[in-house]
């Protein structure tokens, strides 16, 4: 009987086949304490909350598969990395012809906005600004009694301020929004913000803008639910400590049977909250009043915040409990001298072994259900000490709100079931979930979308290295409008940019050839394993192919127009014994030859020195008498 392929094997197998065959304005909203400063400042909940929207839609089914109700859903991949970037992003296409944008997924925001072409105070982001004049379907939202209006009372405006002192403001417009080729949901008309001013981290961030998933009339979820095109639910799945990315579904799915749920009271606060009652560390409950997690806005889930923040007493108890459990580890200074991070060394670099050094942490909900956090859900890597980790849970100042950011739900499918007032948690490998979502839908044009909603998420054991498909290299081509001579002067810069866009080390990127073609040039590239690795990991190969196939590799405008194509995943090169070891053999033979030559030279020198010595006689030596020469 043939052995079934694991999800990763199936993914890379299909990649191999594929690569061979193809090529309205409300009051401003938001709150909460500024986040801990990681590699980049993450987004946090806005300062002033908006009233929640109470609209709800039809229920979904409960089979073992991720399956929507009778309504389609939008399946979208997540990109970037929580701790490197401070956020996760997804892609939206706005307008006719579509204009692409990279947006931070934020459950704490209620408006979706992108930089507008009229914006003079917008930073340099990943994609060009939105140009309303280039879209035949764009319409401004005209001033009415339900929105805040501009000074001339012609158009609706919005304004958002965030606790880390950034802000966004602009006008409201309406246009067709597309959700990508993975989505069974056809394009929909949506109201969004067209930015004219942005400040702070919003100005400097790489992402273009925000995708608001919060509760409010301007939320993209509320708008789609209001149109009746999706059920009142959405799901997020963030990648783990070693792998970024993940998946998002707008609309209903059937949760796995072992998903853990918490009640979520939409009237409790304008944010998505859970009914947290207890925290256990290493199986031992923290001795706290259960009401401590119900202060102010309660226990809030915010996908746009990087870390987690507890009320003062809860944090002190949590810190003390963790330190009691890791006494075998050495406490060290944090990576940033501006913060008093609590860090430990001696745990090793293998993420899969962290649970042997750090305790499990349980969140216990009001219904008695318990969700277990693994170490990657409350730790982050120390950036300066190998094998060291720091607590990613901090004190929320004097604010009694419990704020649970993205770190808490890494490698966790979180379903925001707004229809049934509950939020579900299910531990899984989010990078594999993304692969299943990707493979279950067409990867070509939107005109060929499928309406089959069944996606199997039955957990499978992680494949051992011997079970993985070994990827030796990934090759692809790049067509450019620049001529060869100009590109030759920019090859070093181009290699650096490609390495950054594919999230690999610069030493892994090899420019195989650069040839002229009509109206430009053609470059062939290869991505090789990094460092001492013998092959590229399956997850890395999947990520590279998805970045190329989804046009997520962005080059500066100075490189002109370009297109990536003909990507191909190749197995490691099969070599004979002689090919593998010829260098060692040559070196050994050379060494033996040199040693022999040195020995021979030494022997000849010794013989010569011996002959020279023997030609001289003692002064009293007996010699034959010589005949005297005549005078």
């Amino acid at each position: 009987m043939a052995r079934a392929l694991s999800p990763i094997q199936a993914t890379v197998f299909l990649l191999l086949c594929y690569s061979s065959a193809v090529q309205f304005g409300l009051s401003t909203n938001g709150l909460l304490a500024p986040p801990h400063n990681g590699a980049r400042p993450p987004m946090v909940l806005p300062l002033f909350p908006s009233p929640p929207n109470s609209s709800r839609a039809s229920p979904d089914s409960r089979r073992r598969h991720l399956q929507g109700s009778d309504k389609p859903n939008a399946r979208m991949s997540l990109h970037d990395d929580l701790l490197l970037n401070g956020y996760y992003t997804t892609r939206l296409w706005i307008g006719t012809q579509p204009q692409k944008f990279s947006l931070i997924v934020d459950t704490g925001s209620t408006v979706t906005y992108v930089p507008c072409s009229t914006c003079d105070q917008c930073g340099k982001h990943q994609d060009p600004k939105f140009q309303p004049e280039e879209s035949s379907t764009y319409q401004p939202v005209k001033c009415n009694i339900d929105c805040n209006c501009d000074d001339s009372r012609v158009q609706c405006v919005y304004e958002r301020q965030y606790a880390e002192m950034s802000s966004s403001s602009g006008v409201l417009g309406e246009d067709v929004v597309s959700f990508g080729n993975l989505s069974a949901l056809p394009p929909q008309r949506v109201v969004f913000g067209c930015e004219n001013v942005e400040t702070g981290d919003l100005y400097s961030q790489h992402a273009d803008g925000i995708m608001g998933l919060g509760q409010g009339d301007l939320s993209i979820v509320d708008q789609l639910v209001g149109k009746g095109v999706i059920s009142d639910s959405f799901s997020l799945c963030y990648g783990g400590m070693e792998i970024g990315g993940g998946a998002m579904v707008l609309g209903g799915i059937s949760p796995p049977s072992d998903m853990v749920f918490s009640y979520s009271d939409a009237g409790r606060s304008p944010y998505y909250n859970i009914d947290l009652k207890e925290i256990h560390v290493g199986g031992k409950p923290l001795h706290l009043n259960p009401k401590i997690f119900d202060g102010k806005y309660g226990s809030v889930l915010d996908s746009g915040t990087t870390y987690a923040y507890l009320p003062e007493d809860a944090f002190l108890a949590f810190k003390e409990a963790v330190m009691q459990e890791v006494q075998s580890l050495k406490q060290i200074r944090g990576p940033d001298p501006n913060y008093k991070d609590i860090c430990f060394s001696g745990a090793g670099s293998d993420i899969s072994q962290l649970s042997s050094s750090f305790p499990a942490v349980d969140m216990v909900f009001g219904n008695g259900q318990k969700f277990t956090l693994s170490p990657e859900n409350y730790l982050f890597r120390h950036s300066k000490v190998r094998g060291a980790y720091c607590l990613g849970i901090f004190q929320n100042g004097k604010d009694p709100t419990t704020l649970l950011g993205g770190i808490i739900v890494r490698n966790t499918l979180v379903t925001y079931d707004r229809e049934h007032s509950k939020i579900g948690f299910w531990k899984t490998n989010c990078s594999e979930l993304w692969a299943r979502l990707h493979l279950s839908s067409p990867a070509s044009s939107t005109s060929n979308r499928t309406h089959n909603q069944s996606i199997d998420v039955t957990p499978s054991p992680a494949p051992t290295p011997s079970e993985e498909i070994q990827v030796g290299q990934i090759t692809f081509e790049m067509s450019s409008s620049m001529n060869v001579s100009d590109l030759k002067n920019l090859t070093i810069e181009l290699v650096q940019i490609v390495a950054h866009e594919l999230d690999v080390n610069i030493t892994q990127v090899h420019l195989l050839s650069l040839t002229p073609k009509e109206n430009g040039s053609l470059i062939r590239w290869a991505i090789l394993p990094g460092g001492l690795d013998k092959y590229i990991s399956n997850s890395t190969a999947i990520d590279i192919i998805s970045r190329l196939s989804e046009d997520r590799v962005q080059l500066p405008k100075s490189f002109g127009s370009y297109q990536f194509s003909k990507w191909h995943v190749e197995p490691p090169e099969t070599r004979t014994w002689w090919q593998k070891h010829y260098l060692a053999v040559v070196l050994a033979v050379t060494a033996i030859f040199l040693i022999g030559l040195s020995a021979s030279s030494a022997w000849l020198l010794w013989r010569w020195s011996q002959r020279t010595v023997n030609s001289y006689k003692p002064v009293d030596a007996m010699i034959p008498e010589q005949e005297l020469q005549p005078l």
Side-chain angles (χ1 to χ4, degrees), residues 209-252:
I210 299 289
M211 181 175 181
L213 301 172
Q215 303 179 92
D217 290 339
L218 281 180
S219 166
I220 195 166
V221 177
D222 282 80
Q223 291 188 60
L224 295 176
V225 170
K227 290 175 177 290
V229 295
I230 64 171
S231 56
D232 198 1
S233 178
F234 68 94
S235 299
L236 295 173
C237 200
Y238 283 1
M241 185 176 283
E242 290 189 312
I243 302 175
M248 177 172 71
V249 179
L250 297 181

Side-chain angles (χ1 to χ4, degrees), residues 24-342:
F24 284 45
L26 301 173
S27 59
T28 55
N29 61 346
L31 140 93
L32 299 183
H36 180 77
N37 188 8
R40 293 189 188 179
M43 295 302 300
V44 297
L45 293 176
L47 286 170
F48 308 106
S50 298
N53 189 310
S54 59
S55 61
R56 295 292 180 260
S58 60
D60 51 22
S61 58
R62 286 187 171 273
R63 279 184 284 172
R64 182 62 182 175
H65 302 278
L66 281 184
Q67 183 176 22
S69 60
D70 55 340
K71 298 176 181 177
N73 54 34
R75 302 170 191 166
M76 306 166 71
S77 56
L78 298 181
H79 313 290
D80 302 303
D81 181 86
L82 183 68
L83 296 187
L84 293 179
N85 304 90
Y87 49 71
Y88 281 109
T89 61
T90 192
R91 304 291 186 261
L92 279 186
W93 286 259
I94 304 177
T96 309
Q97 297 288 330
Q99 302 174 44
K100 184 179 70 173
F101 299 96
S102 169
L103 304 181
I104 298 170
V105 293
D106 190 359
T107 59
S109 294
T110 58
V111 64
T112 296
Y113 50 82
V114 297
C116 209
S117 59
T118 55
C119 184
D120 294 327
Q121 299 183 49
C122 289
K124 184 179 180 180
H125 303 296
Q126 179 170 324
D127 300 292
K129 299 173 183 176
F130 177 68
Q131 301 183 54
E133 65 277 6
E134 296 296 323
S135 173
S136 60
T137 50
Y138 176 82
Q139 291 181 348
V141 178
K142 296 182 179 179
C143 181
N144 60 75
I145 59 173
D146 295 323
C147 75
N148 296 326
C149 300
D150 58 15
D151 293 338
S152 57
R153 302 197 63 77
V154 173
Q155 190 169 354
C156 291
V157 298
Y158 78 96
E159 182 178 0
R160 294 295 183 268
Q161 297 179 336
Y162 296 86
E164 85 284 4
M165 307 308 295
S166 61
S167 65
S168 171
S169 61
V171 297
L172 292 177
E174 185 181 28
D175 208 335
V176 174
V177 171
S178 302
F179 304 96
N181 295 335
L182 301 179
S183 175
L185 180 67
Q188 301 291 326
R189 291 196 66 85
V190 170
V191 174
F192 64 97
C194 204
E195 277 187 313
N196 284 325
V197 176
E198 58 184 16
T199 65
D201 292 331
L202 290 175
Y203 185 91
S204 58
Q205 70 188 16
H206 185 60
D208 300 312
I210 299 289
M211 181 175 181
L213 301 172
Q215 303 179 92
D217 290 339
L218 281 180
S219 166
I220 195 166
V221 177
D222 282 80
Q223 291 188 60
L224 295 176
V225 170
K227 290 175 177 290
V229 295
I230 64 171
S231 56
D232 198 1
S233 178
F234 68 94
S235 299
L236 295 173
C237 200
Y238 283 1
M241 185 176 283
E242 290 189 312
I243 302 175
M248 177 172 71
V249 179
L250 297 181
I253 63 173
S254 290
S257 59
D258 52 347
M259 178 171 268
V260 176
F261 284 95
S262 169
Y263 174 65
S264 181
D265 184 2
R268 172 66 179 81
S269 78
Y271 308 112
Y272 296 111
N273 57 79
I274 57 175
D275 188 21
L276 180 62
K277 295 298 184 185
E278 296 180 16
I279 291 180
H280 298 177
V281 176
K284 304 171 186 176
L286 302 182
H287 299 294
L288 297 167
N289 187 329
K291 293 183 179 180
I292 194 171
F293 301 113
D294 198 37
K296 200 173 181 178
Y297 291 101
S299 296
V300 175
L301 282 179
D302 178 30
S303 67
T305 293
T306 304
Y307 301 103
Y309 301 85
L310 300 178
E312 183 176 10
D313 290 345
F315 169 73
L316 294 175
F318 173 79
K319 179 185 72 172
E320 181 62 28
V322 171
M323 294 182 72
Q324 287 293 325
E325 295 285 333
V326 297
Q327 293 186 24
S328 60
L329 302 179
K330 179 183 178 182
Q331 188 172 353
I332 60 174
R333 293 180 180 273
D336 190 336
N338 296 317
Y339 296 93
K340 296 180 180 180
D341 287 321
I342 301 169

Side-chain angles (χ1 to χ4, degrees), residues 485-600:
S485 58
D486 291 337
L487 274 175
K488 283 182 177 179
N489 298 325
L490 299 171
T491 52
I492 296 178
E493 180 184 355
L494 184 57
V495 168
Q496 292 174 336
I497 294 171
V498 170
H500 177 268
E501 291 295 309
L502 294 180
D503 196 20
V504 297
N505 192 288
I506 190 173
T507 58
Q508 296 178 248
V509 180
H510 291 250
L511 197 157
L512 299 179
S513 63
L514 176 57
T515 55
K517 57 176 291 189
E518 185 179 358
N519 299 325
S521 54
L522 178 68
I523 307 176
R524 292 191 66 249
W525 298 90
I527 307 298
L528 303 181
L532 300 178
D533 295 337
K534 295 181 180 179
Y535 55 89
I536 301 172
S537 70
N538 294 167
S539 57
T540 300
I542 292 170
D543 183 63
I544 291 173
I545 291 296
S546 67
R547 289 171 187 251
L548 292 170
S549 63
E550 296 176 3
D551 296 327
R552 288 157 47 201
V553 179
Q554 303 292 321
L555 305 184
K557 293 181 180 179
S558 57
F559 284 94
S561 60
Y562 55 89
Q563 183 177 8
F564 293 92
S565 61
K566 296 185 179 179
W567 45 86
H568 185 64
V569 180
E570 300 177 3
E573 181 181 0
T574 302
R575 297 185 295 168
T576 63
W577 184 93
W578 169 250
Q579 289 174 321
K580 292 180 180 178
H581 303 286
Y582 80 93
L583 183 59
V585 173
V586 171
L587 290 175
V589 171
T590 303
I592 292 171
F593 173 77
L594 292 175
I595 292 171
L597 183 63
S598 300
S600 301

